Amino acid sequence: MSAHAADARGPQPVEIALLASVFVVAACGLVYELTAAALSSYLLGDSVLQFSTIIGTYLFAMGVGSWLSRFFDRQLPAHFLRIELLVALVGGALPAILFLANAYVPGAFRPLLYGLVVVVGTLVGLEIPLVMRILKRNIQLKNLVSQVLTFDYLGALAVSVAFPLVLVPQLGMIRTGLLFGLMNAAVAVWALWLFRHELRRIGAHALACFLALAALAGAFAWADRITSLAEDKFYQDRIVFSATSPYQRIVVTRGQLGHRLFLNGNLQFAERDEYRYHEALVHPVMAAQGAPKKVAVLGGGDGMAVREILKYPSVESVTLVELDPNMTQLFTAHETLAALNGHSLSSPKVKIVNTDAFQWLQQSGDFFDVIVVDFPDPTNFAIGKLYTNSFYALLEKRLSASGYAVIQTTSPLVARKSYWTVAATIESVGLRATPYHAHVPSFGEWGFIIASRRPYRMPDALPSGLRFLSPSTLPLMFDFPLDMARVPAEVNRLSNQTLVTTYEQEWGKVMTTH
């Protein structure tokens, strides 16, 4: 039957099944690409760089696969079936392999990451050309291209929406990869049925399909165990809570140092010495302000900074702006973790706002006596925007006339230029920058910067019951030795985000020497 006749009689079951397979294939291919890019940004930092290089490598590999498809002349259904099984196994297992590699052989993580991306991309690049050549038997060329591309793009759209909103939050990275591996294997089974009369050695193909499905289904059932194997090795201490939100991987461990919180593998606090960090962060500005009434905390979803703020009787309201609702829910509802912050997030004085701090500053019309900025370090551009002059200009507008803001600002010893970049950026919007530092054993020498319109005035008294700070030792924190003294630094702007690059270079040197 000619292609014109086939077109006139409408789509047939085989054509519909293959076009549906294109939808699934496109969805699976994009999931593997997104999981590789997301994992690399989680574990290597700098999300823009990681997504850009992973996507570029993946598209290049797809081009290689498309070019290689020209060498497949005969038994196209059999080749398509085999490729689907290979994509299912390699792509489906990709997140699990990378998690385990990061825990057990971290030095091999980067080459393994790009090697797997090249393999999966090449296989995915082979899929669509083979499907089109199979469909060409019965569909006119002009309709063939439009139909295949339509289903391909629809599959990509469905996954691009579902991946951050449903798949990762509900299933996690490992189960998401394995689920779509199962879908790829299901396409292979479907091809086995559709082309059962054309395939040679159908028994061998059926056995391969069964083994692939069994392996993926078994891994899916054991996904929690695989995650535990990777994370127990990586974090060493016993994991008491773990969750993947649309924004980050949250892990809480318990060991000799007590509870520790990790976001995307980066330590945020250790129970043993977090009081040093949070007392140093909060009390120099709260006590200096005099009698702060309205306070805002940007970041700090663990509630530790809020705990310290509530030690001041003058405080009437605390607005906590935390992007990830999973963080504030965890440290409000989890009995042990809520106890660490003194159940501060349940205080009637505290209002929790789960939104982006940059947008909140743009939209808020309130003024605050003290603003505590407790964001993670600028490991990527999404966080780096919260260290730019644009952000500090918005911060300045929300400070009362006599208000102080304080910003946690990485280590002035390890990341000296990064630290002073923040100081230069604060000064660029007309605020005074008053730097200080404290020793926190879990982090080493750590830095903070006070931003204000007026000169900073050292407080005469601090709340009673503090474990680290005292009026006599507080001035010592504002003295910088020679190896942490100020160095020239650029202003960090939204248009360049020089801080992210500088931070990666400085901390990268430390990582490569250990």
Side-chain angles (χ1 to χ4, degrees):
M1 182 180 290
S2 70
H4 293 285
D7 188 52
R9 61 178 167 77
Q12 296 301 297
V14 171
E15 297 158 19
I16 295 172
L18 284 172
L19 289 172
S21 298
V22 171
F23 180 93
V24 175
V25 163
C28 293
L30 185 58
V31 161
Y32 306 143
E33 182 180 3
L34 289 173
T35 52
L39 278 172
S40 63
S41 66
Y42 279 6
L43 302 172
L44 300 177
D46 193 349
S47 57
V48 173
L49 174 64
Q50 302 308 327
F51 268 85
S52 179
T53 54
I54 291 296
I55 290 171
T57 303
Y58 190 83
L59 291 176
F60 168 77
M62 286 181 66
V64 171
S66 296
W67 180 80
L68 290 174
S69 68
R70 64 193 293 187
F71 298 105
F72 293 81
D73 292 325
R74 300 177 181 177
Q75 290 290 304
L76 295 182
H79 291 310
F80 177 70
L81 188 152
R82 295 187 192 104
I83 290 167
E84 284 304 297
L85 291 179
L86 286 172
V87 173
L89 290 169
V90 180
L94 183 145
I97 292 170
L98 292 177
F99 264 121
L100 291 169
N102 182 62
Y104 290 90
V105 281
F109 178 83
R110 196 184 296 267
L112 185 61
L113 166 69
Y114 285 95
L116 288 172
V117 167
V118 168
V119 171
V120 174
T122 302
L123 292 170
V124 171
L126 283 165
E127 289 174 313
I128 299 301
L130 291 182
V131 170
M132 292 181 70
R133 287 165 64 186
I134 294 169
L135 283 167
K136 192 171 67 174
R137 303 169 181 176
N138 297 315
I139 301 179
Q140 198 174 7
L141 182 60
K142 65 175 184 178
N143 293 328
L144 171 64
V145 174
S146 65
Q147 288 180 16
V148 168
L149 292 181
T150 296
F151 279 85
D152 184 71
Y153 296 149
L154 286 174
L157 172 64
V159 160
S160 64
V161 174
F163 185 80
L165 299 179
V166 179
L167 295 171
V168 173
Q170 298 300 320
L171 297 177
M173 288 285 187
I174 290 179
R175 275 209 169 99
T176 295
L178 292 167
L179 173 64
F180 280 79
L182 285 166
M183 292 171 64
N184 261 132
V187 169
V189 173
W190 190 234
L192 178 68
W193 171 256
L194 287 176
F195 301 107
R196 61 192 181 279
H197 300 302
E198 298 183 42
L199 293 170
R200 301 171 184 170
R201 298 189 301 170
I202 192 167
H205 289 302
L207 178 61
C209 289
F210 172 79
L211 292 175
L213 284 168
L216 291 164
F220 188 91
W222 282 79
D224 289 338
R225 181 59 182 156
I226 295 171
T227 303
S228 296
L229 279 172
E231 292 188 334
D232 288 348
K233 175 68 175 180
F234 182 80
Y235 296 108
Q236 298 181 343
D237 293 338
R238 182 171 63 88
I239 295 172
V240 296
F241 177 87
S242 62
T244 301
S245 78
Y247 309 104
Q248 58 202 348
R249 177 70 176 169
I250 304 169
V251 174
V252 179
T253 66
R254 185 174 184 178
Q256 292 183 344
L257 301 180
H259 290 86
R260 294 196 294 172
L261 170 68
F262 296 85
L263 299 180
N264 293 340
N266 298 311
L267 178 66
Q268 303 302 304
F269 75 74
E271 183 181 353
R272 184 181 70 171
D273 56 22
E274 60 80 15
Y275 68 91
R276 278 180 162 250
Y277 172 89
H278 290 103
E279 286 185 14
L281 173 69
V282 169
H283 295 294
V285 288
M286 288 291 291
Q289 205 282 334
K293 294 182 179 180
K294 292 184 65 176
V295 181
V297 179
L298 311 184
D302 53 42
M304 306 296 186
V306 176
R307 177 195 65 202
E308 299 301 317
I309 290 166
L310 292 175
K311 292 177 180 178
Y312 291 80
S314 64
V315 172
E316 296 176 356
S317 68
V318 181
T319 303
L320 173 62
V321 182
E322 164 64 48
L323 177 63
D324 192 348
N326 290 268
M327 278 289 293
T328 49
Q329 289 168 9
L330 173 63
F331 282 87
T332 301
H334 192 290
E335 185 60 32
T336 303
L337 298 178
L340 293 179
N341 63 40
H343 299 277
S344 61
L345 299 186
S346 300
S347 169
K349 293 183 179 181
V350 176
K351 176 186 177 183
I352 297 173
V353 181
N354 293 123
T355 190
D356 178 77
F358 202 110
Q359 295 179 6
W360 180 81
L361 284 176
Q362 289 176 318
Q363 297 164 5
S364 175
D366 293 334
F367 294 91
F368 297 90
D369 301 314
V370 171
I371 301 177
V372 176
V373 182
D374 191 17
F375 297 131
D377 278 6
T379 54
N380 58 59
F381 292 112
I383 301 174
K385 74 175 184 179
L386 304 174
Y387 289 81
T388 60
N389 59 346
S390 299
F391 181 83
Y392 296 134
L394 294 172
L395 191 72
E396 187 270 340
K397 292 179 180 179
R398 303 276 64 85
L399 274 177
S400 61
S402 60
Y404 290 114
V406 60
I407 297 101
Q408 91 77 17
T409 322
T410 197
S411 171
L413 181 62
V414 175
R416 186 176 177 184
K417 188 174 182 181
S418 298
Y419 179 84
W420 293 108
T421 295
V422 177
T425 305
I426 291 170
E427 292 169 342
S428 74
V429 301
L431 290 169
R432 293 175 179 267
T434 306
Y436 67 102
H437 60 96
H439 183 72
V440 183
S442 292
F443 297 114
E445 203 65 39
W446 210 254
F448 310 86
I449 297 176
I450 296 168
S452 59
R453 296 191 186 92
R454 57 173 174 158
Y456 177 71
R457 178 181 57 84
M458 199 77 64
D460 298 323
L462 294 169
S464 61
L466 299 187
R467 301 168 60 190
F468 174 52
L469 294 184
S470 68
S472 61
T473 59
L474 184 60
L476 302 176
M477 297 166 62
F478 293 79
D479 180 46
F480 279 74
L482 290 177
D483 58 356
M484 295 193 296
R486 186 158 189 166
V487 293
E490 290 183 57
V491 173
N492 188 43
R493 307 176 190 275
L494 275 176
S495 58
N496 63 21
Q497 294 234 23
T498 182
L499 177 61
V500 175
T501 305
T502 304
Y503 178 90
E504 278 208 336
Q505 290 172 346
E506 292 184 312
W507 278 100
K509 290 178 182 178
V510 176
M511 299 304 179
T512 55
T513 57
H514 286 77

